[in-house]
Amino acid sequence: MEPMLCPGCKTNRTRFNIIEQHPKAVKLHPQTGEVEIEYTSEALDPFHLPYRGPSYRVQCAACGLIENAETFVKHAQHFSEVNKW
């Protein structure tokens, strides 16, 4: 992990929730919404794109903002560069 700063509340540097994402590829019944098929990552339907998002996201434990980790890291980097002068 790298230093982080919440871009929402602009004060939190220490309290965060790491939200791990575990995607599950499924085909739902169009009327009931029930899972008809659960795909494995090796055997996806030709029309089913694999998940390409981040493996985790970060939530600020002070204000609740949820973003990609890079957003928090970049905000901390920018803030430290601005305050060097």
Side-chain angles (χ1 to χ4, degrees), residues 10 41 53 72:
K10 297 175 180 51
S41 58
F72 290 88

Side-chain angles (χ1 to χ4, degrees), residues 1-33:
M1 285 279 162
E2 295 184 58
M4 291 194 244
L5 173 62
C6 178
C9 63
K10 297 175 180 51
T11 57
N12 181 25
R13 292 180 172 273
T14 58
R15 293 179 307 280
F16 299 97
N17 297 311
I18 305 299
I19 304 165
E20 294 180 356
Q21 300 192 113
H22 302 281
K24 185 190 305 187
V26 297
K27 180 179 180 183
L28 302 179
H29 186 278
Q31 281 77 37
T32 65

Side-chain angles (χ1 to χ4, degrees), residues 12-66:
N12 181 25
R13 292 180 172 273
T14 58
R15 293 179 307 280
F16 299 97
N17 297 311
I18 305 299
I19 304 165
E20 294 180 356
Q21 300 192 113
H22 302 281
K24 185 190 305 187
V26 297
K27 180 179 180 183
L28 302 179
H29 186 278
Q31 281 77 37
T32 65
E34 299 214 8
V35 175
E36 288 185 338
I37 301 171
E38 188 172 326
Y39 299 106
T40 64
S41 58
E42 297 83 33
L44 288 176
D45 182 280
F47 297 105
H48 198 116
L49 294 174
Y51 178 72
R52 294 189 180 122
S55 59
Y56 69 94
R57 293 184 58 132
V58 176
Q59 180 183 34
C60 173
C63 74
L65 178 71
I66 299 173

